[in-house]
Amino acid sequence: MDNYYGMVALDSNTIVGGEKDSGLIDIEMLRIGEFEHPSYGTLEITEELLSSMVSNFKSDVLGREVSFDWNHEAKKASAWLRDTRVEGDLLIGTVELTKAGKESIESKEYGYFSIEFNSEYKDAEDGNDYGPTIMGGALNNRPFI
């Protein structure tokens, strides 16, 4: 199983919309490019990879909600992924921040988002191969991408 991580800053450039009062924001989750990761080697992020992530999210291949945490420690949720789309070279996620997640960004305790994805997701129950799939994400302070 190949799980990869990529991070982007949570600032005015990556929070690309959302209605303030709705509790939902749009964030840049990943972008097209080639990146050299110290643990995973060369990561080639393509439009096809992003489109597969969107399709698998919308098809609910995981059979569960996609949560974000802090520092890739699967404990309490900092946010929940509500929708995804590709805009140009970007994977955009519509995210519902938890109260603690919102406070940790507003207080500048955390300044980055990091996606977790599996480039070759295979369902443990049905044995089907689904390809690139978003597994989760995290608020984090050590950016990679």
Side-chain angles (χ1 to χ4, degrees):
M1 177 168 66
D2 294 330
N3 285 315
Y4 300 107
Y5 306 95
M7 294 180 235
V8 293
L10 289 173
D11 58 22
S12 60
N13 294 322
T14 57
I15 298 176
V16 295
E19 297 177 28
K20 184 177 180 181
D21 295 331
S22 73
L24 300 176
I25 61 168
D26 290 342
I27 62 169
E28 177 187 332
M29 295 177 65
L30 195 58
R31 66 181 180 269
I32 293 174
E34 191 170 296
F35 308 95
E36 194 64 36
H37 193 281
S39 298
Y40 304 116
T42 302
L43 301 179
E44 187 176 350
I45 309 301
T46 64
E47 183 177 351
E48 293 77 23
L49 184 133
L50 299 183
S51 293
S52 176
M53 289 181 180
V54 169
S55 176
N56 286 340
F57 176 79
K58 290 181 183 286
S59 298
D60 193 29
V61 300
L62 290 181
R64 64 166 171 83
E65 289 188 80
V66 176
S67 64
F68 302 154
D69 50 49
W70 287 271
N71 300 314
H72 299 290
E73 296 173 356
K75 296 179 181 177
K76 292 182 177 182
S78 62
W80 297 92
L81 185 60
R82 297 301 184 211
D83 199 9
T84 56
R85 66 187 180 279
V86 176
E87 285 186 8
D89 291 349
L90 304 175
L91 174 64
I92 303 296
T94 300
V95 174
E96 181 180 1
L97 292 166
T98 64
K99 180 180 177 186
K102 182 178 179 182
E103 289 171 355
S104 68
I105 293 169
E106 288 175 344
S107 67
K108 299 192 183 286
E109 291 176 350
Y110 285 87
Y112 297 90
F113 168 76
S114 177
I115 190 172
E116 298 173 15
F117 67 95
N118 187 318
S119 62
E120 299 175 359
Y121 177 67
K122 181 175 183 172
D123 188 278
E125 289 184 45
D126 66 22
N128 290 329
D129 293 314
Y130 291 97
T133 303
I134 301 166
M135 306 302 291
L139 298 182
N140 197 302
N141 284 328
R142 297 205 174 124
F144 167 64
I145 296 175

PDB file of all heavy atoms in Angstrom, residues 47-63 66 81 83-86 91-92 121 129-134:
ATOM      1  N   GLU A  47      -3.228  15.270 -13.782  1.00  0.00           N
ATOM      2  CA  GLU A  47      -4.661  15.568 -13.830  1.00  0.00           C
ATOM      3  C   GLU A  47      -5.477  14.287 -13.655  1.00  0.00           C
ATOM      4  O   GLU A  47      -6.513  14.295 -12.979  1.00  0.00           O
ATOM      5  CB  GLU A  47      -5.011  16.236 -15.159  1.00  0.00           C
ATOM      6  CG  GLU A  47      -6.464  16.651 -15.253  1.00  0.00           C
ATOM      7  CD  GLU A  47      -6.798  17.372 -16.546  1.00  0.00           C
ATOM      8  OE1 GLU A  47      -5.885  17.708 -17.312  1.00  0.00           O
ATOM      9  OE2 GLU A  47      -8.001  17.601 -16.769  1.00  0.00           O
ATOM     10  N   GLU A  48      -5.005  13.182 -14.233  1.00  0.00           N
ATOM     11  CA  GLU A  48      -5.702  11.901 -14.108  1.00  0.00           C
ATOM     12  C   GLU A  48      -5.743  11.432 -12.658  1.00  0.00           C
ATOM     13  O   GLU A  48      -6.753  10.901 -12.199  1.00  0.00           O
ATOM     14  CB  GLU A  48      -5.033  10.840 -14.991  1.00  0.00           C
ATOM     15  CG  GLU A  48      -5.152  11.088 -16.483  1.00  0.00           C
ATOM     16  CD  GLU A  48      -4.201  12.169 -17.002  1.00  0.00           C
ATOM     17  OE1 GLU A  48      -3.175  12.448 -16.363  1.00  0.00           O
ATOM     18  OE2 GLU A  48      -4.505  12.754 -18.048  1.00  0.00           O
ATOM     19  N   LEU A  49      -4.638  11.611 -11.937  1.00  0.00           N
ATOM     20  CA  LEU A  49      -4.584  11.224 -10.528  1.00  0.00           C
ATOM     21  C   LEU A  49      -5.598  12.030  -9.721  1.00  0.00           C
ATOM     22  O   LEU A  49      -6.366  11.472  -8.934  1.00  0.00           O
ATOM     23  CB  LEU A  49      -3.167  11.413  -9.980  1.00  0.00           C
ATOM     24  CG  LEU A  49      -2.956  10.957  -8.543  1.00  0.00           C
ATOM     25  CD1 LEU A  49      -1.693  10.116  -8.443  1.00  0.00           C
ATOM     26  CD2 LEU A  49      -2.861  12.141  -7.610  1.00  0.00           C
ATOM     27  N   LEU A  50      -5.624  13.352  -9.938  1.00  0.00           N
ATOM     28  CA  LEU A  50      -6.578  14.204  -9.224  1.00  0.00           C
ATOM     29  C   LEU A  50      -8.011  13.833  -9.575  1.00  0.00           C
ATOM     30  O   LEU A  50      -8.869  13.753  -8.688  1.00  0.00           O
ATOM     31  CB  LEU A  50      -6.324  15.684  -9.538  1.00  0.00           C
ATOM     32  CG  LEU A  50      -4.963  16.263  -9.148  1.00  0.00           C
ATOM     33  CD1 LEU A  50      -4.924  17.753  -9.467  1.00  0.00           C
ATOM     34  CD2 LEU A  50      -4.612  16.000  -7.706  1.00  0.00           C
ATOM     35  N   SER A  51      -8.278  13.577 -10.853  1.00  0.00           N
ATOM     36  CA  SER A  51      -9.634  13.208 -11.281  1.00  0.00           C
ATOM     37  C   SER A  51     -10.081  11.891 -10.656  1.00  0.00           C
ATOM     38  O   SER A  51     -11.243  11.741 -10.276  1.00  0.00           O
ATOM     39  CB  SER A  51      -9.699  13.105 -12.805  1.00  0.00           C
ATOM     40  OG  SER A  51      -9.517  14.377 -13.381  1.00  0.00           O
ATOM     41  N   SER A  52      -9.160  10.939 -10.527  1.00  0.00           N
ATOM     42  CA  SER A  52      -9.480   9.670  -9.869  1.00  0.00           C
ATOM     43  C   SER A  52      -9.823   9.893  -8.405  1.00  0.00           C
ATOM     44  O   SER A  52     -10.761   9.292  -7.881  1.00  0.00           O
ATOM     45  CB  SER A  52      -8.316   8.691  -9.989  1.00  0.00           C
ATOM     46  OG  SER A  52      -8.595   7.503  -9.274  1.00  0.00           O
ATOM     47  N   MET A  53      -9.082  10.775  -7.736  1.00  0.00           N
ATOM     48  CA  MET A  53      -9.377  11.077  -6.339  1.00  0.00           C
ATOM     49  C   MET A  53     -10.778  11.646  -6.184  1.00  0.00           C
ATOM     50  O   MET A  53     -11.517  11.254  -5.286  1.00  0.00           O
ATOM     51  CB  MET A  53      -8.338  12.054  -5.780  1.00  0.00           C
ATOM     52  CG  MET A  53      -6.980  11.467  -5.581  1.00  0.00           C
ATOM     53  SD  MET A  53      -5.896  12.738  -4.904  1.00  0.00           S
ATOM     54  CE  MET A  53      -4.389  11.815  -4.758  1.00  0.00           C
ATOM     55  N   VAL A  54     -11.137  12.570  -7.077  1.00  0.00           N
ATOM     56  CA  VAL A  54     -12.473  13.174  -7.035  1.00  0.00           C
ATOM     57  C   VAL A  54     -13.537  12.108  -7.278  1.00  0.00           C
ATOM     58  O   VAL A  54     -14.515  12.007  -6.532  1.00  0.00           O
ATOM     59  CB  VAL A  54     -12.598  14.324  -8.059  1.00  0.00           C
ATOM     60  CG1 VAL A  54     -14.053  14.773  -8.212  1.00  0.00           C
ATOM     61  CG2 VAL A  54     -11.711  15.494  -7.654  1.00  0.00           C
ATOM     62  N   SER A  55     -13.357  11.300  -8.309  1.00  0.00           N
ATOM     63  CA  SER A  55     -14.332  10.262  -8.645  1.00  0.00           C
ATOM     64  C   SER A  55     -14.509   9.270  -7.500  1.00  0.00           C
ATOM     65  O   SER A  55     -15.636   8.909  -7.144  1.00  0.00           O
ATOM     66  CB  SER A  55     -13.881   9.537  -9.912  1.00  0.00           C
ATOM     67  OG  SER A  55     -14.749   8.481 -10.208  1.00  0.00           O
ATOM     68  N   ASN A  56     -13.400   8.831  -6.909  1.00  0.00           N
ATOM     69  CA  ASN A  56     -13.484   7.870  -5.808  1.00  0.00           C
ATOM     70  C   ASN A  56     -14.108   8.474  -4.568  1.00  0.00           C
ATOM     71  O   ASN A  56     -14.838   7.800  -3.839  1.00  0.00           O
ATOM     72  CB  ASN A  56     -12.107   7.279  -5.509  1.00  0.00           C
ATOM     73  CG  ASN A  56     -11.675   6.289  -6.564  1.00  0.00           C
ATOM     74  OD1 ASN A  56     -12.489   5.756  -7.308  1.00  0.00           O
ATOM     75  ND2 ASN A  56     -10.384   6.044  -6.633  1.00  0.00           N
ATOM     76  N   PHE A  57     -13.851   9.761  -4.319  1.00  0.00           N
ATOM     77  CA  PHE A  57     -14.496  10.421  -3.188  1.00  0.00           C
ATOM     78  C   PHE A  57     -16.006  10.487  -3.406  1.00  0.00           C
ATOM     79  O   PHE A  57     -16.791  10.123  -2.535  1.00  0.00           O
ATOM     80  CB  PHE A  57     -13.929  11.828  -2.962  1.00  0.00           C
ATOM     81  CG  PHE A  57     -14.640  12.567  -1.866  1.00  0.00           C
ATOM     82  CD1 PHE A  57     -14.351  12.310  -0.545  1.00  0.00           C
ATOM     83  CD2 PHE A  57     -15.634  13.484  -2.161  1.00  0.00           C
ATOM     84  CE1 PHE A  57     -15.037  12.977   0.486  1.00  0.00           C
ATOM     85  CE2 PHE A  57     -16.317  14.147  -1.156  1.00  0.00           C
ATOM     86  CZ  PHE A  57     -16.015  13.885   0.171  1.00  0.00           C
ATOM     87  N   LYS A  58     -16.402  10.939  -4.584  1.00  0.00           N
ATOM     88  CA  LYS A  58     -17.836  11.097  -4.880  1.00  0.00           C
ATOM     89  C   LYS A  58     -18.560   9.751  -4.934  1.00  0.00           C
ATOM     90  O   LYS A  58     -19.754   9.680  -4.654  1.00  0.00           O
ATOM     91  CB  LYS A  58     -18.017  11.880  -6.170  1.00  0.00           C
ATOM     92  CG  LYS A  58     -17.609  13.347  -6.011  1.00  0.00           C
ATOM     93  CD  LYS A  58     -17.818  14.135  -7.279  1.00  0.00           C
ATOM     94  CE  LYS A  58     -17.340  15.562  -7.147  1.00  0.00           C
ATOM     95  NZ  LYS A  58     -18.176  16.429  -6.365  1.00  0.00           N
ATOM     96  N   SER A  59     -17.820   8.682  -5.261  1.00  0.00           N
ATOM     97  CA  SER A  59     -18.408   7.334  -5.302  1.00  0.00           C
ATOM     98  C   SER A  59     -18.356   6.637  -3.952  1.00  0.00           C
ATOM     99  O   SER A  59     -18.814   5.502  -3.821  1.00  0.00           O
ATOM    100  CB  SER A  59     -17.673   6.480  -6.339  1.00  0.00           C
ATOM    101  OG  SER A  59     -17.817   7.025  -7.618  1.00  0.00           O
ATOM    102  N   ASP A  60     -17.767   7.280  -2.958  1.00  0.00           N
ATOM    103  CA  ASP A  60     -17.682   6.751  -1.593  1.00  0.00           C
ATOM    104  C   ASP A  60     -17.028   5.363  -1.546  1.00  0.00           C
ATOM    105  O   ASP A  60     -17.504   4.464  -0.862  1.00  0.00           O
ATOM    106  CB  ASP A  60     -19.069   6.712  -0.957  1.00  0.00           C
ATOM    107  CG  ASP A  60     -19.029   6.474   0.550  1.00  0.00           C
ATOM    108  OD1 ASP A  60     -18.029   6.863   1.192  1.00  0.00           O
ATOM    109  OD2 ASP A  60     -19.986   5.878   1.071  1.00  0.00           O
ATOM    110  N   VAL A  61     -15.897   5.225  -2.264  1.00  0.00           N
ATOM    111  CA  VAL A  61     -15.245   3.917  -2.287  1.00  0.00           C
ATOM    112  C   VAL A  61     -14.714   3.508  -0.912  1.00  0.00           C
ATOM    113  O   VAL A  61     -14.598   2.310  -0.632  1.00  0.00           O
ATOM    114  CB  VAL A  61     -14.118   3.823  -3.344  1.00  0.00           C
ATOM    115  CG1 VAL A  61     -14.660   4.060  -4.732  1.00  0.00           C
ATOM    116  CG2 VAL A  61     -12.961   4.744  -3.039  1.00  0.00           C
ATOM    117  N   LEU A  62     -14.411   4.472  -0.041  1.00  0.00           N
ATOM    118  CA  LEU A  62     -13.945   4.125   1.303  1.00  0.00           C
ATOM    119  C   LEU A  62     -15.078   3.611   2.191  1.00  0.00           C
ATOM    120  O   LEU A  62     -14.840   2.882   3.146  1.00  0.00           O
ATOM    121  CB  LEU A  62     -13.287   5.319   1.989  1.00  0.00           C
ATOM    122  CG  LEU A  62     -11.943   5.770   1.438  1.00  0.00           C
ATOM    123  CD1 LEU A  62     -11.425   6.958   2.244  1.00  0.00           C
ATOM    124  CD2 LEU A  62     -10.929   4.641   1.442  1.00  0.00           C
ATOM    125  N   GLY A  63     -16.307   4.030   1.901  1.00  0.00           N
ATOM    126  CA  GLY A  63     -17.432   3.615   2.719  1.00  0.00           C
ATOM    127  C   GLY A  63     -17.459   4.279   4.079  1.00  0.00           C
ATOM    128  O   GLY A  63     -18.091   3.794   5.011  1.00  0.00           O
ATOM    129  N   VAL A  66     -14.344  11.040   5.150  1.00  0.00           N
ATOM    130  CA  VAL A  66     -12.916  11.332   5.145  1.00  0.00           C
ATOM    131  C   VAL A  66     -12.668  12.431   6.164  1.00  0.00           C
ATOM    132  O   VAL A  66     -13.207  13.528   6.061  1.00  0.00           O
ATOM    133  CB  VAL A  66     -12.438  11.766   3.746  1.00  0.00           C
ATOM    134  CG1 VAL A  66     -10.963  12.169   3.779  1.00  0.00           C
ATOM    135  CG2 VAL A  66     -12.663  10.633   2.745  1.00  0.00           C
ATOM    136  N   LEU A  81     -14.032  16.213   5.212  1.00  0.00           N
ATOM    137  CA  LEU A  81     -14.086  16.529   3.791  1.00  0.00           C
ATOM    138  C   LEU A  81     -15.517  16.343   3.297  1.00  0.00           C
ATOM    139  O   LEU A  81     -16.105  15.273   3.468  1.00  0.00           O
ATOM    140  CB  LEU A  81     -13.124  15.615   3.019  1.00  0.00           C
ATOM    141  CG  LEU A  81     -12.970  15.897   1.531  1.00  0.00           C
ATOM    142  CD1 LEU A  81     -12.446  17.318   1.278  1.00  0.00           C
ATOM    143  CD2 LEU A  81     -12.020  14.868   0.914  1.00  0.00           C
ATOM    144  N   ASP A  83     -16.624  17.735  -0.029  1.00  0.00           N
ATOM    145  CA  ASP A  83     -16.704  17.657  -1.486  1.00  0.00           C
ATOM    146  C   ASP A  83     -15.310  17.872  -2.055  1.00  0.00           C
ATOM    147  O   ASP A  83     -14.419  18.380  -1.361  1.00  0.00           O
ATOM    148  CB  ASP A  83     -17.670  18.714  -2.030  1.00  0.00           C
ATOM    149  CG  ASP A  83     -18.152  18.420  -3.440  1.00  0.00           C
ATOM    150  OD1 ASP A  83     -17.889  17.310  -3.958  1.00  0.00           O
ATOM    151  OD2 ASP A  83     -18.795  19.299  -4.033  1.00  0.00           O
ATOM    152  N   THR A  84     -15.136  17.471  -3.314  1.00  0.00           N
ATOM    153  CA  THR A  84     -13.864  17.661  -4.013  1.00  0.00           C
ATOM    154  C   THR A  84     -14.144  18.028  -5.459  1.00  0.00           C
ATOM    155  O   THR A  84     -15.192  17.694  -6.009  1.00  0.00           O
ATOM    156  CB  THR A  84     -13.011  16.373  -3.999  1.00  0.00           C
ATOM    157  OG1 THR A  84     -13.768  15.308  -4.568  1.00  0.00           O
ATOM    158  CG2 THR A  84     -12.580  16.003  -2.594  1.00  0.00           C
ATOM    159  N   ARG A  85     -13.164  18.717  -6.063  1.00  0.00           N
ATOM    160  CA  ARG A  85     -13.243  19.042  -7.478  1.00  0.00           C
ATOM    161  C   ARG A  85     -11.837  19.416  -7.964  1.00  0.00           C
ATOM    162  O   ARG A  85     -10.974  19.777  -7.165  1.00  0.00           O
ATOM    163  CB  ARG A  85     -14.222  20.174  -7.738  1.00  0.00           C
ATOM    164  CG  ARG A  85     -13.808  21.515  -7.168  1.00  0.00           C
ATOM    165  CD  ARG A  85     -14.902  22.570  -7.319  1.00  0.00           C
ATOM    166  NE  ARG A  85     -14.509  23.852  -6.770  1.00  0.00           N
ATOM    167  CZ  ARG A  85     -14.551  24.180  -5.485  1.00  0.00           C
ATOM    168  NH1 ARG A  85     -14.972  23.305  -4.583  1.00  0.00           N
ATOM    169  NH2 ARG A  85     -14.181  25.379  -5.089  1.00  0.00           N
ATOM    170  N   VAL A  86     -11.647  19.329  -9.265  1.00  0.00           N
ATOM    171  CA  VAL A  86     -10.410  19.781  -9.880  1.00  0.00           C
ATOM    172  C   VAL A  86     -10.687  21.121 -10.529  1.00  0.00           C
ATOM    173  O   VAL A  86     -11.663  21.274 -11.266  1.00  0.00           O
ATOM    174  CB  VAL A  86      -9.891  18.764 -10.923  1.00  0.00           C
ATOM    175  CG1 VAL A  86      -8.654  19.303 -11.630  1.00  0.00           C
ATOM    176  CG2 VAL A  86      -9.590  17.424 -10.266  1.00  0.00           C
ATOM    177  N   LEU A  91      -6.400  20.352  -6.898  1.00  0.00           N
ATOM    178  CA  LEU A  91      -7.456  19.578  -6.258  1.00  0.00           C
ATOM    179  C   LEU A  91      -7.983  20.439  -5.127  1.00  0.00           C
ATOM    180  O   LEU A  91      -7.232  20.809  -4.214  1.00  0.00           O
ATOM    181  CB  LEU A  91      -6.911  18.256  -5.704  1.00  0.00           C
ATOM    182  CG  LEU A  91      -7.896  17.414  -4.890  1.00  0.00           C
ATOM    183  CD1 LEU A  91      -9.063  16.945  -5.761  1.00  0.00           C
ATOM    184  CD2 LEU A  91      -7.178  16.227  -4.265  1.00  0.00           C
ATOM    185  N   ILE A  92      -9.260  20.792  -5.205  1.00  0.00           N
ATOM    186  CA  ILE A  92      -9.900  21.639  -4.196  1.00  0.00           C
ATOM    187  C   ILE A  92     -10.822  20.771  -3.362  1.00  0.00           C
ATOM    188  O   ILE A  92     -11.593  19.962  -3.891  1.00  0.00           O
ATOM    189  CB  ILE A  92     -10.719  22.774  -4.858  1.00  0.00           C
ATOM    190  CG1 ILE A  92      -9.840  23.625  -5.777  1.00  0.00           C
ATOM    191  CG2 ILE A  92     -11.417  23.629  -3.795  1.00  0.00           C
ATOM    192  CD1 ILE A  92      -8.736  24.387  -5.071  1.00  0.00           C
ATOM    193  N   TYR A 121      -5.286   2.289  -4.218  1.00  0.00           N
ATOM    194  CA  TYR A 121      -6.196   1.799  -3.181  1.00  0.00           C
ATOM    195  C   TYR A 121      -6.921   0.536  -3.629  1.00  0.00           C
ATOM    196  O   TYR A 121      -7.519   0.477  -4.698  1.00  0.00           O
ATOM    197  CB  TYR A 121      -7.225   2.875  -2.813  1.00  0.00           C
ATOM    198  CG  TYR A 121      -8.235   2.386  -1.807  1.00  0.00           C
ATOM    199  CD1 TYR A 121      -7.843   2.083  -0.506  1.00  0.00           C
ATOM    200  CD2 TYR A 121      -9.556   2.198  -2.164  1.00  0.00           C
ATOM    201  CE1 TYR A 121      -8.764   1.614   0.422  1.00  0.00           C
ATOM    202  CE2 TYR A 121     -10.487   1.732  -1.243  1.00  0.00           C
ATOM    203  CZ  TYR A 121     -10.083   1.436   0.046  1.00  0.00           C
ATOM    204  OH  TYR A 121     -10.984   0.965   0.951  1.00  0.00           O
ATOM    205  N   ASP A 129      -9.742  -2.928  -7.075  1.00  0.00           N
ATOM    206  CA  ASP A 129      -8.725  -1.883  -7.162  1.00  0.00           C
ATOM    207  C   ASP A 129      -9.396  -0.598  -7.628  1.00  0.00           C
ATOM    208  O   ASP A 129     -10.085  -0.590  -8.646  1.00  0.00           O
ATOM    209  CB  ASP A 129      -7.635  -2.291  -8.159  1.00  0.00           C
ATOM    210  CG  ASP A 129      -6.828  -3.480  -7.677  1.00  0.00           C
ATOM    211  OD1 ASP A 129      -6.435  -3.480  -6.495  1.00  0.00           O
ATOM    212  OD2 ASP A 129      -6.588  -4.402  -8.480  1.00  0.00           O
ATOM    213  N   TYR A 130      -9.185   0.484  -6.880  1.00  0.00           N
ATOM    214  CA  TYR A 130      -9.817   1.758  -7.209  1.00  0.00           C
ATOM    215  C   TYR A 130      -8.844   2.830  -7.664  1.00  0.00           C
ATOM    216  O   TYR A 130      -9.245   3.887  -8.119  1.00  0.00           O
ATOM    217  CB  TYR A 130     -10.633   2.270  -6.020  1.00  0.00           C
ATOM    218  CG  TYR A 130     -11.844   1.424  -5.751  1.00  0.00           C
ATOM    219  CD1 TYR A 130     -11.832   0.434  -4.781  1.00  0.00           C
ATOM    220  CD2 TYR A 130     -13.001   1.599  -6.500  1.00  0.00           C
ATOM    221  CE1 TYR A 130     -12.949  -0.353  -4.546  1.00  0.00           C
ATOM    222  CE2 TYR A 130     -14.127   0.819  -6.272  1.00  0.00           C
ATOM    223  CZ  TYR A 130     -14.088  -0.159  -5.300  1.00  0.00           C
ATOM    224  OH  TYR A 130     -15.202  -0.938  -5.077  1.00  0.00           O
ATOM    225  N   GLY A 131      -7.548   2.600  -7.496  1.00  0.00           N
ATOM    226  CA  GLY A 131      -6.567   3.607  -7.905  1.00  0.00           C
ATOM    227  C   GLY A 131      -6.460   4.729  -6.899  1.00  0.00           C
ATOM    228  O   GLY A 131      -6.796   4.566  -5.722  1.00  0.00           O
ATOM    229  N   PRO A 132      -5.999   5.906  -7.346  1.00  0.00           N
ATOM    230  CA  PRO A 132      -5.740   7.024  -6.434  1.00  0.00           C
ATOM    231  C   PRO A 132      -6.971   7.434  -5.630  1.00  0.00           C
ATOM    232  O   PRO A 132      -8.019   7.755  -6.206  1.00  0.00           O
ATOM    233  CB  PRO A 132      -5.292   8.143  -7.372  1.00  0.00           C
ATOM    234  CG  PRO A 132      -4.720   7.421  -8.550  1.00  0.00           C
ATOM    235  CD  PRO A 132      -5.596   6.215  -8.711  1.00  0.00           C
ATOM    236  N   THR A 133      -6.837   7.411  -4.303  1.00  0.00           N
ATOM    237  CA  THR A 133      -7.963   7.647  -3.400  1.00  0.00           C
ATOM    238  C   THR A 133      -7.503   8.472  -2.208  1.00  0.00           C
ATOM    239  O   THR A 133      -6.462   8.188  -1.613  1.00  0.00           O
ATOM    240  CB  THR A 133      -8.539   6.296  -2.911  1.00  0.00           C
ATOM    241  OG1 THR A 133      -8.921   5.521  -4.056  1.00  0.00           O
ATOM    242  CG2 THR A 133      -9.727   6.488  -2.001  1.00  0.00           C
ATOM    243  N   ILE A 134      -8.279   9.477  -1.859  1.00  0.00           N
ATOM    244  CA  ILE A 134      -8.004  10.278  -0.655  1.00  0.00           C
ATOM    245  C   ILE A 134      -8.338   9.438   0.557  1.00  0.00           C
ATOM    246  O   ILE A 134      -9.454   8.934   0.687  1.00  0.00           O
ATOM    247  CB  ILE A 134      -8.839  11.575  -0.650  1.00  0.00           C
ATOM    248  CG1 ILE A 134      -8.541  12.421  -1.883  1.00  0.00           C
ATOM    249  CG2 ILE A 134      -8.591  12.365   0.643  1.00  0.00           C
ATOM    250  CD1 ILE A 134      -9.556  13.530  -2.122  1.00  0.00           C
TER     251      ILE A 134
END
